[in-house]
Amino acid sequence: QVQLVESGGGLVQPGGSLRLSCAASGSIISIYTMGWYRQAPGKQRELIAALTRGGSTNYADSVKGRFTISRDNDKNKVYLQMNSLKPEDTAAYYCHVVYQWLDYWGQGTQVTVSS
């Protein structure tokens, strides 16, 4: 069993930055992939960024060059640095891991980009 707790969301003006954090806890040996999804009202949840334990990354085209995913393997934490935020980035952001072939999700943190 893995518990994920996100933090760092909020209201930011267009062009601003936010940093999301996610801490995984439980009986964890090693998490291979940690990532972030987002879901805007009326839209499907989409993968934003993922990072393997070995350092391979995958970004959605919409955030490439603006968002950076990183992780601390020793602390089982994953981060999402979001720069040059746009109104279309407004969504609930969810931390996600696959551990022992099971999907785990955080409770979500709201990011609102508005002037």
Side-chain angles (χ1 to χ4, degrees):
Q1 191 78 4
V2 176
Q3 295 81 43
L4 301 174
V5 178
E6 301 113 333
S7 61
L11 174 64
V12 64
Q13 292 187 340
S17 298
L18 281 175
R19 187 184 191 227
L20 305 183
S21 299
C22 173
S25 61
S27 300
I28 299 170
I29 298 175
S30 176
I31 298 175
Y32 183 68
T33 301
M34 304 183 79
W36 292 92
Y37 285 69
R38 71 184 180 190
Q39 187 168 21
K43 294 189 177 182
Q44 288 188 331
R45 192 171 294 190
E46 61 174 345
L47 174 66
I48 294 302
L51 174 59
T52 68
R53 190 175 181 87
S56 297
T57 57
N58 182 28
Y59 290 98
D61 288 342
S62 59
V63 306
K64 282 181 181 177
R66 300 189 298 123
F67 291 10
T68 303
I69 188 171
S70 60
R71 62 188 282 179
D72 184 330
N73 291 328
D74 291 337
K75 296 181 179 179
N76 289 319
K77 289 186 174 180
V78 63
Y79 307 95
L80 186 67
Q81 178 66 44
M82 304 185 294
N83 299 327
S84 302
L85 283 160
K86 305 175 182 180
E88 51 263 43
D89 295 318
T90 295
Y93 284 69
Y94 297 89
C95 180
H96 171 261
V97 304
V98 178
Y99 184 68
Q100 295 185 342
W101 304 281
L102 295 177
D103 288 285
Y104 294 92
W105 296 91
Q107 80 284 359
T109 184
Q110 179 67 33
V111 172
T112 302
V113 185
S114 175
S115 56

